[in-house]
Amino acid sequence: MATGQAPGNPIPAMRTNQPVEHPVVVIGPQYLAQYPVELVVSSKLWTLGENDFKVCDINGTNIFQVKSKLLTLHDRRFMKDAAGNSLVNLRQKIRTMHRRWEAFRGESKEEKDLLFTAKKSKLFQFKTQLDVFLPNNKGEVPDFKVKGGYGESSCSILLGDSNTLLAQMHRLHSLKTMILDSDSFGVTVYPNVDYAFIVALVVILDEINADRSGED
């Protein structure tokens, strides 16, 4: 079954992977592709009061951008499409031991617009692992897991406690990133997986690893 094409839909990646049995949609079905999608997520470090992200396909076409507001009570990130429309806002819950983040639709803060929550799997970790829960999940088993943590060099995003791979990420090293004082990550999102959702998880993982607030 064909899915809607998002504006600025990224071009296919070269590698292939067995598609998931059922489409994984969290932010919107327009961000599903029938092929693997390769994205580059770049973050500019230590800009004044904020840390911004740019998300492009492998041709350099802008797909998403993430604007940050750190000088507020809650750390907030606004994920926008290429036209500047707010898709999701990410909020860190202060004074939570597991570094809990919440994702809301658009610029809303209402509980009815909650899309997912993400938190560290364990309080003390050598490698960052995140548990991700959808709003209707009141149990202990997460809907998605992020394993690895790119303080090292790569990580994987999995469906629940299974070995079903939804996306992979690895750090990119180049002279350009060193000169521009920026971080870049290659992200491969497999078929029928909401790539906007994967980008939101990448941003949260980066913020948790950076531990900017100094408050655990």
Side-chain angles (χ1 to χ4, degrees):
M1 182 176 68
T3 58
Q5 295 289 313
N9 200 42
I11 65 171
M14 294 303 294
R15 65 190 80 174
T16 59
N17 192 69
Q18 186 70 24
V20 292
E21 186 176 351
H22 302 290
V24 174
V25 180
V26 176
I27 293 177
Q30 67 269 40
Y31 302 112
L32 294 176
Q34 300 300 311
Y35 48 80
V37 170
E38 198 88 28
L39 300 172
V40 176
V41 180
S42 303
S43 68
K44 178 67 177 153
L45 303 179
W46 306 119
T47 53
L48 183 61
E50 59 184 28
N51 186 54
D52 290 344
F53 295 81
K54 183 172 71 171
V55 183
C56 300
D57 67 15
I58 53 177
N59 279 345
T61 303
N62 188 37
I63 306 297
F64 303 116
Q65 55 186 326
V66 180
K67 298 290 185 180
S68 305
K69 290 185 179 178
L70 301 184
L71 303 179
T72 58
L73 180 61
H74 294 270
D75 284 0
R76 296 184 73 189
R77 313 289 181 273
F78 293 89
M79 181 171 161
K80 302 172 181 289
D81 63 17
N85 302 306
S86 292
L87 302 174
V88 183
N89 76 92
L90 310 171
R91 304 175 76 236
Q92 182 183 3
K93 294 199 71 172
I94 59 174
R95 299 185 180 89
T96 56
M97 297 176 67
H98 287 261
R99 313 291 297 165
R100 183 185 297 270
W101 283 75
E102 296 178 327
F104 294 88
R105 189 172 301 282
E107 299 188 7
S108 173
K109 294 183 282 187
E110 301 293 330
E111 203 65 29
K112 65 181 178 62
D113 293 314
L114 180 68
L115 294 170
F116 66 89
T117 61
K119 65 183 182 68
K120 285 166 59 174
S121 303
K122 297 177 182 177
L123 185 56
F124 300 106
Q125 298 179 336
F126 292 106
K127 293 182 179 180
T128 303
Q129 295 193 20
L130 305 183
D131 290 342
V132 182
F133 294 85
L134 297 176
N136 59 355
N137 184 350
K138 308 302 181 185
E140 297 294 322
V141 179
D143 295 286
F144 310 97
K145 288 187 81 74
V146 182
K147 291 189 174 182
Y150 53 54
E152 302 91 36
S153 59
S154 64
C155 83
S156 301
I157 299 172
L158 304 170
L159 184 64
D161 269 343
S162 73
N163 291 319
T164 302
L165 195 60
L166 303 182
Q168 290 183 295
M169 178 174 55
H170 60 279
R171 186 184 293 271
L172 303 175
H173 298 280
S174 71
L175 182 60
K176 180 180 179 182
T177 59
M178 288 188 291
I179 292 173
L180 296 178
D181 190 25
S182 64
D183 267 344
S184 291
F185 307 95
V187 182
T188 302
V189 185
Y190 292 113
N192 283 327
V193 176
D194 183 338
Y195 57 84
F197 168 57
I198 298 299
V199 168
L201 290 181
V202 169
V203 172
I204 290 173
L205 180 61
D206 180 62
E207 299 295 346
I208 288 177
N209 279 340
D211 196 21
R212 290 187 183 86
S213 73
E215 188 178 51
D216 233 338

